[in-house]
Amino acid sequence: MNRLLIVFLTLLVSSVFAHTNLGEQASSIKASGKVFHESISIIRKIHPEFLRHKRDKTLRQGVRTDEYSLKGCVSCHVNKDKTNNQYYSVDKKGQFCSDCHEQVSVSLDCFSCHRTIPKEGSL
Amino acid sequence: MNKTLNRRDFIKTTSATTIGVATVASGITLTTFASTNKVPVTNEKRWGMLIDTNKLTEAGIDGMVSACQEEQGWGSELHSTGSQKPGWIKKLKVKDKATGKVSNLALMCQHCEEPPCVDVCPTNASMKREDGIVLVDKHLCIGCRYCMMACPYDARSFVHEALRNQKEHMPRGKGTVESCTMCVHKVDKGEVPACVASVNSDAVIFGDLYDASSKINQTLRTVQSAQIRADLNLNTGVRYSGI
Ligand code: SF4
Ligand code: SF4
């Protein structure tokens, strides 16, 4: 039974990530062979912790480094619509964030306040 | 952004006082402009503003309001009705009952040293940074609006509608409270707030109240200035001269 469960979970997790839409910049970093996230499994599992830690440091203490900044996630993992040269929101269906979050039914609350595309003028 | 004084009486209750100057003068002197981005801010600084109501024209105040809207992205809400509309900074007319003198005030969050909004917040969302800037941590804000009721300056707004396309540096969202951040994202980079930058004179001075070599500190030592509702003893970071 346990073995079956493991097989099932592995299938589930790998199927979640199987068609992940990495985003333009992230895809080209990956293609170039450079390593951005030291461990993919860690960033997959605990990115909410990283973001939470970072948000407290930034908002409450004024520490404004790039590491684990949500702006950074968005600008690297966003995709552009080639037809009109506009960005897709990262929380839009089929885009980087919602791809997994929808699959596993975990609601995504960052973007009720945060901007979903890189800052204006960066196109 | 015109607002009348119907809800709370804004008439200054103290005559021009030197208390603010005394408090400021006892602060710590800081000589360097350290790059604060990587280390937590400390209470060795206290950011503040001095608004000269004689020099600041009505048009100047309007310019400050639009600069704030442009910088922070508020004011173009489509579905919020009049009183629901956010107002981070307002133009306010105050009249001295005795002399009839009318002054125009640019009124925003006063960044109180003893902020009532922080006292009443049930979730610790309303908070004051070490350097005196008062903010809402929207991650924690439940939208109860206690802070709006507690603020004597009516400085806070509630976001009534879902928003998109916010500024990258200024997350804003339905169901949370917001107010002037003293452009903390700029201040942390060593820049001045957008409203201050929009005024092309020294009618509005921004700086570290504690730094004896700063323009704001030096001006506060030489001119008479006042805090609005100084009787509340909140020790505001925003000061006014000429009222
Ligand atoms: S002016 Fe109002 S919102 Fe600002 S710190 Fe004081 S009580 Fe809080
Ligand atoms: S509205 Fe938000 S910030 Fe204001 S008191 Fe309630 S939880 Fe705190």
Side-chain angles (χ1 to χ4, degrees):
Chain A
M1 186 61 206
N2 266 351
R3 204 172 290 166
L4 262 181
L5 195 65
I6 290 171
V7 170
F8 172 74
L9 277 178
T10 317
L11 276 177
L12 179 73
V13 169
S14 49
S15 69
V16 167
F17 294 117
H19 58 277
T20 301
N21 182 354
L22 263 192
E24 264 174 29
Q25 220 176 313
S27 306
S28 64
I29 289 176
K30 193 178 175 190
S32 76
K34 275 193 219 123
V35 178
F36 189 82
H37 296 297
E38 258 171 49
S39 159
I40 298 296
S41 68
I42 285 179
I43 195 82
R44 275 180 188 160
K45 278 187 215 131
I46 59 174
H47 63 279
E49 302 308 318
F50 291 150
L51 288 169
R52 214 169 285 137
H53 179 69
K54 166 75 180 177
R55 82 179 191 198
D56 290 342
K57 290 202 87 152
T58 302
L59 198 145
R60 293 181 175 259
Q61 306 182 337
V63 175
R64 295 180 186 272
T65 52
D66 291 339
E67 197 185 25
Y68 303 128
S69 118
L70 185 63
K71 290 179 197 169
C73 309
V74 170
S75 61
C76 209
H77 288 292
V78 77
N79 277 302
K80 216 181 278 172
D81 182 346
K82 298 275 184 311
T83 57
N84 59 6
N85 206 30
Q86 298 287 314
Y87 285 115
Y88 292 113
S89 296
V90 282
D91 63 336
K92 190 178 179 290
K93 198 173 169 49
Q95 295 302 313
F96 182 71
C97 298
S98 50
D99 223 7
C100 303
H101 276 264
E102 271 185 16
Q103 183 102 3
V104 294
S105 279
V106 176
S107 69
L108 182 56
D109 201 24
C110 309
F111 299 107
S112 49
C113 285
H114 282 277
R115 185 176 174 88
T116 56
I117 56 174
K119 75 159 176 272
E120 31 315 69
S122 59
L123 258 174
Chain B
M1 283 297 118
N2 247 322
K3 193 140 185 182
T4 45
L5 283 175
N6 50 1
R7 195 154 72 100
R8 291 190 176 108
D9 190 3
F10 269 93
I11 295 300
K12 181 171 65 76
T13 49
T14 47
S15 56
T17 172
T18 49
I19 291 175
V21 178
T23 324
V24 171
S26 67
I28 303 157
T29 311
L30 261 188
T31 43
T32 48
F33 223 83
S35 95
T36 48
N37 280 9
K38 290 191 178 62
V39 287
V41 295
T42 66
N43 59 6
E44 288 169 352
K45 279 190 177 147
R46 170 133 194 249
W47 296 115
M49 245 186 241
L50 173 63
I51 302 178
D52 186 334
T53 56
N54 287 329
K55 283 191 196 150
L56 187 62
T57 59
E58 258 197 88
I61 299 176
D62 293 339
M64 289 173 77
V65 174
S66 0
C68 179
Q69 291 181 324
E70 170 66 21
E71 179 67 30
Q72 308 281 30
W74 59 272
S76 48
E77 292 70 21
L78 294 172
H79 306 292
S80 301
T81 57
S83 60
Q84 295 177 333
K85 288 218 188 294
W88 293 26
I89 169 169
K90 294 160 188 161
K91 182 168 71 183
L92 201 75
K93 281 193 189 310
V94 281
K95 191 169 169 185
D96 187 325
K97 280 178 185 153
T99 62
K101 184 193 174 197
V102 177
S103 316
N104 287 302
L105 295 187
L107 192 87
M108 68 293 268
C109 169
Q110 304 285 294
H111 297 276
C112 311
E113 186 176 26
E114 308 282 348
C117 57
V118 174
D119 290 344
V120 300
C121 179
T123 66
N124 204 17
S126 256
M127 45 95 38
K128 188 181 69 164
R129 296 205 325 176
E130 287 291 301
D131 59 3
I133 298 182
V134 177
L135 299 171
V136 179
D137 183 345
K138 290 161 190 176
H139 304 109
L140 302 183
C141 176
I142 53 170
C144 68
R145 287 165 264 182
Y146 282 9
C147 56
M148 288 176 70
M149 300 307 291
C151 173
Y153 306 95
D154 195 18
R156 292 199 159 180
S157 316
F158 180 75
V159 180
H160 285 262
E161 60 185 86
L163 303 171
R164 291 300 272 185
N165 211 18
Q166 295 91 334
K167 299 288 175 186
E168 196 184 41
H169 56 260
M170 191 60 242
R172 306 174 56 223
K174 183 177 178 181
T176 60
V177 162
E178 56 185 11
S179 57
C180 157
T181 65
M182 227 179 219
C183 282
V184 67
H185 61 287
K186 292 171 75 103
V187 171
D188 282 345
K189 286 191 283 182
E191 298 169 17
V192 301
C195 62
V196 180
S198 78
V199 179
N200 284 327
S201 67
D202 56 0
V204 184
I205 306 173
F206 169 81
D208 178 6
L209 296 175
Y210 291 163
D211 179 359
S213 65
S214 71
K215 188 171 177 191
I216 188 166
N217 179 300
Q218 289 176 352
T219 316
L220 278 168
R221 284 167 193 249
T222 50
V223 302
Q224 286 204 316
S225 67
Q227 304 176 31
I228 296 177
R229 291 299 308 267
D231 58 316
L232 296 173
N233 284 329
L234 304 176
N235 192 15
T236 58
V238 180
R239 309 288 172 83
Y240 296 82
S241 62
I243 51 169

